[in-house]
Protein backbone atom coordinates (compact mmCIF):
# COMPACT_ATOMS: atom_id res chain seq x y z
CA UNK A 1 0.00 0.00 0.00
CA UNK A 2 1.10 3.54 -0.68
CA UNK A 3 -0.20 6.64 1.10
CA UNK A 4 -0.18 10.19 -0.18
CA UNK A 5 -1.19 13.09 2.03
CA UNK A 6 -2.04 16.41 0.44
CA UNK A 7 -0.07 18.57 2.86
CA UNK A 8 -1.58 21.72 1.35
CA UNK A 9 -5.01 20.45 2.33
CA UNK A 10 -3.97 19.02 5.74
CA UNK A 11 -4.93 21.34 8.61
CA UNK A 12 -3.16 19.41 11.41
CA UNK A 13 -6.30 18.09 13.13
CA UNK A 14 -4.26 14.91 13.83
CA UNK A 15 -7.18 12.48 13.68
CA UNK A 16 -4.96 10.22 11.59
CA UNK A 17 -2.28 10.27 14.30
CA UNK A 18 -4.76 9.04 16.92
CA UNK A 19 -6.03 6.23 14.68
CA UNK A 20 -2.76 5.09 13.10
CA UNK A 21 0.11 6.39 15.22
CA UNK A 22 2.53 3.87 13.72
CA UNK A 23 2.03 5.50 10.31
CA UNK A 24 1.23 9.18 10.98
CA UNK A 25 3.10 11.52 13.34
CA UNK A 26 3.07 15.20 14.20
CA UNK A 27 6.47 16.86 14.16
CA UNK A 28 6.42 20.01 16.17
CA UNK A 29 3.04 21.63 16.60
CA UNK A 30 1.37 21.05 13.23
CA UNK A 31 3.78 19.40 10.74
CA UNK A 32 2.48 15.98 9.73
CA UNK A 33 4.96 13.29 8.76
CA UNK A 34 3.99 9.82 7.64
CA UNK A 35 5.27 6.48 6.38
CA UNK A 36 4.38 6.49 2.66
CA UNK A 37 4.60 2.68 2.33
CA UNK A 38 3.28 1.09 5.52
CA UNK A 39 2.86 -2.66 5.90
CA UNK A 40 -0.40 -4.08 4.57
CA UNK A 41 -1.34 -5.23 8.08
CA UNK A 42 -1.91 -1.54 8.88
CA UNK A 43 -4.52 -1.18 6.11
CA UNK A 44 -7.56 -1.07 8.42
CA UNK A 45 -5.93 1.56 10.67
CA UNK A 46 -4.93 3.65 7.67
CA UNK A 47 -8.41 3.36 6.11
CA UNK A 48 -9.97 4.54 9.37
CA UNK A 49 -7.49 7.40 9.59
CA UNK A 50 -8.28 8.47 6.01
CA UNK A 51 -12.02 8.32 6.70
CA UNK A 52 -11.60 10.40 9.88
CA UNK A 53 -9.64 13.17 8.16
CA UNK A 54 -11.94 16.24 8.27
CA UNK A 55 -10.46 17.63 5.05
CA UNK A 56 -10.01 14.27 3.25
CA UNK A 57 -6.29 14.89 2.67
CA UNK A 58 -5.25 11.19 2.70
CA UNK A 59 -5.24 9.00 -0.41
CA UNK A 60 -4.57 5.26 -0.12
CA UNK A 61 -3.28 3.38 -3.15
CA UNK A 62 -3.45 -0.35 -2.47
CA UNK A 63 -0.99 -1.01 -5.33
CA UNK A 64 -3.44 -3.49 -6.84
CA UNK A 65 -5.10 -0.71 -8.81
CA UNK A 66 -7.77 0.15 -6.24
CA UNK A 67 -7.67 3.58 -4.64
CA UNK A 68 -9.37 4.60 -1.43
CA UNK A 69 -9.77 7.88 0.39
CA UNK A 70 -9.54 9.93 -2.81
CA UNK A 71 -9.04 13.60 -2.15
CA UNK A 72 -11.37 15.60 -4.34
Amino acid sequence: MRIVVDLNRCQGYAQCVYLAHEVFRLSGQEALTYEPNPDDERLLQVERAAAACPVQAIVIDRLDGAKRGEAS
Side-chain angles (χ1 to χ4, degrees):
M1 134 180 63
R2 180 179 59 190
I3 299 171
V4 177
V5 178
D6 182 342
L7 296 174
N8 291 318
R9 183 177 270 210
C10 177
Q11 297 294 308
Y13 291 110
Q15 297 303 306
C16 58
V17 176
Y18 297 118
L19 294 166
H21 61 271
E22 299 89 3
V23 178
F24 302 97
R25 293 168 292 295
L26 279 182
S27 298
Q29 298 238 349
E30 295 182 8
L32 181 73
T33 61
Y34 62 99
E35 169 59 45
N37 297 102
D39 295 331
D40 286 337
E41 61 218 25
R42 304 259 183 252
L43 179 61
L44 183 58
Q45 291 176 332
V46 172
E47 287 178 333
R48 288 179 177 166
C53 180
V55 296
Q56 299 298 294
I58 303 169
V59 176
I60 304 166
D61 185 349
R62 293 182 44 211
L63 300 179
D64 63 0
K67 289 192 179 195
R68 295 202 165 161
E70 280 278 343
S72 44

